[in-house]
Amino acid sequence: MSGTPPSGRQYRIMAGGHEAVVTQVGAGLRECTLDGRPVLDGYDEDERAPDGRGQVLAPFPNRIADGRYTFGGRTCQVAMDEPERGNAIHGMVRWLDWTEVSFTEHDVVLACVLRPQPGYAWELSLQVGYHLSPGGLTVASSATNTGTEPAPFGMGFHPYVGLGADVAGLELLVPAGSHSPVPADRDERPTPVDVSGTSLDFRSGRAVGDTVLDTVFGDLTRGDDGRAVVHLTDPGSAEGVRLWVDESFPYVMVYSADGVLPAERQRQSLAVEPMTCPPHAFRSGADLVTLAPGDTWTGTWGLATA
């Protein structure tokens, strides 16, 4: 057996007291330390990524019911890698080797070509770049339709944000006016529900407590720079981390890690997932991006200290 880690080559980048590790497999974010403090609940070099930690989710984030969908007159069947719930989950590139485009002390750019196959009948050229600066980590991604037909597309990322403590005692701010429960009929578009007066209203920031989150948030409030910012803060130390998304990501999913294994990792972080579309969008069409031949989608998100 070779000495190569399960996630392939490890790309360590550094800048301004910050450090991150990006993996060849899936172009995932395995570690991130800002101002000397870990802000991700990642995984060890000798592990493969558990629970989607730090992974890139393309050409769809989240799930497709039955792994089956129709687009442009083509019916496709994605491998059902969540068989207990009858879903395909988290895209098709997270276990592939990505190709190095560039690698410096401060940043790394990786690329992947998704070829036509039974689960996806189109061709995409994907690129993800991680850049560290004194301001934190910026993740810039793009997808280009290199085929000859319009292609369906969605993008997401799966970092587990944490401050080394049980999330119950941390304060969470999510600038979202609504959440979108998954309809019983996965072919239906989800109907946004106002968070006002509910346990899912985190717009002013409050303790997570015993709230269980596996929630798609939308109607994000943005600053003048177009960014929506999720804050996670330790009220005892006043230290915190911010995850921001640009306007290419209209949704943020927050998962309180209640079902991860081993049990001691449960509720030790929050998966805060930038997403272009809600779950099952390849079936419902909700906010599904259609890329014409030659078109490119771009999106950016990042991490910074609070």
Side-chain angles (χ1 to χ4, degrees):
M1 182 176 178
S2 74
T4 304
S7 55
R9 183 177 177 184
Q10 309 292 296
Y11 294 92
R12 187 173 296 274
I13 56 177
M14 295 174 285
H18 310 319
E19 192 168 340
V21 177
V22 177
T23 64
Q24 175 187 14
V25 174
L29 182 62
R30 188 172 68 78
E31 293 180 8
C32 185
T33 299
L34 301 180
D35 293 331
R37 180 168 185 171
V39 296
L40 287 188
D41 188 6
Y43 58 100
D44 293 335
E45 185 174 319
D46 61 358
E47 292 183 274
R48 71 178 187 184
D51 308 308
R53 293 179 187 272
Q55 291 186 319
V56 177
L57 317 179
F60 63 90
N62 214 283
R63 293 164 171 82
I64 300 175
D66 303 320
R68 191 173 181 85
Y69 64 96
T70 299
F71 182 89
R74 296 178 179 272
T75 298
C76 297
Q77 179 67 59
V78 187
M80 296 222 317
D81 44 7
E82 194 182 43
E84 68 278 9
R85 297 175 66 179
N87 297 313
I89 186 171
H90 292 339
M92 302 168 68
V93 299
R94 60 194 181 119
W95 302 113
L96 300 181
D97 278 354
W98 287 52
T99 301
E100 178 186 318
V101 175
S102 63
F103 178 38
T104 71
E105 180 183 3
H106 306 310
D107 50 21
V108 60
V109 179
L110 300 175
C112 174
V113 176
L114 183 62
R115 305 290 185 186
Q117 54 192 282
Y120 192 78
W122 305 270
E123 182 175 283
L124 294 180
S125 177
L126 303 166
Q127 188 164 288
V128 177
Y130 296 86
H131 175 73
L132 274 176
S133 69
L137 178 71
T138 299
V139 185
S141 52
S142 67
T144 300
N145 180 354
T146 49
T148 59
E149 300 177 18
F153 175 73
M155 189 77 163
F157 292 82
H158 210 288
Y160 280 73
V161 179
L163 296 171
D166 190 297
V167 298
L170 302 180
E171 292 184 354
L172 175 66
L173 186 153
V174 183
S178 68
H179 70 103
S180 295
V182 176
D185 182 347
R186 304 301 197 257
D187 292 331
E188 289 185 4
R189 290 174 176 262
T191 300
V193 177
D194 191 335
V195 299
S196 299
T198 75
S199 63
L200 297 176
D201 190 348
F202 287 92
R203 288 174 292 184
S204 298
R206 59 179 177 83
V208 176
D210 59 1
T211 304
V212 175
L213 294 165
D214 194 3
T215 307
V216 180
F217 289 101
D219 292 316
L220 303 177
T221 300
R222 300 179 183 273
D224 293 339
D225 57 3
R227 294 178 177 181
V229 186
V230 175
H231 297 251
L232 188 64
T233 307
D234 182 344
S237 66
E239 294 181 326
V241 58
R242 295 178 290 129
L243 186 148
W244 57 266
V245 297
D246 74 3
E247 292 173 303
S248 298
F249 296 101
Y251 298 95
V252 173
M253 186 157 191
V254 181
Y255 170 51
S256 48
D258 299 87
V260 305
L261 295 174
E264 55 265 26
R265 298 194 78 166
Q266 294 174 3
R267 299 185 68 83
Q268 296 304 299
S269 59
L270 296 174
V272 182
E273 308 166 36
M275 298 195 310
T276 62
C277 55
H280 310 287
F282 270 48
R283 294 188 62 128
S284 71
D287 286 315
L288 187 64
V289 175
T290 297
L291 287 175
D295 278 1
T296 297
W297 170 93
T298 61
T300 307
W301 64 278
L303 293 166
T305 53

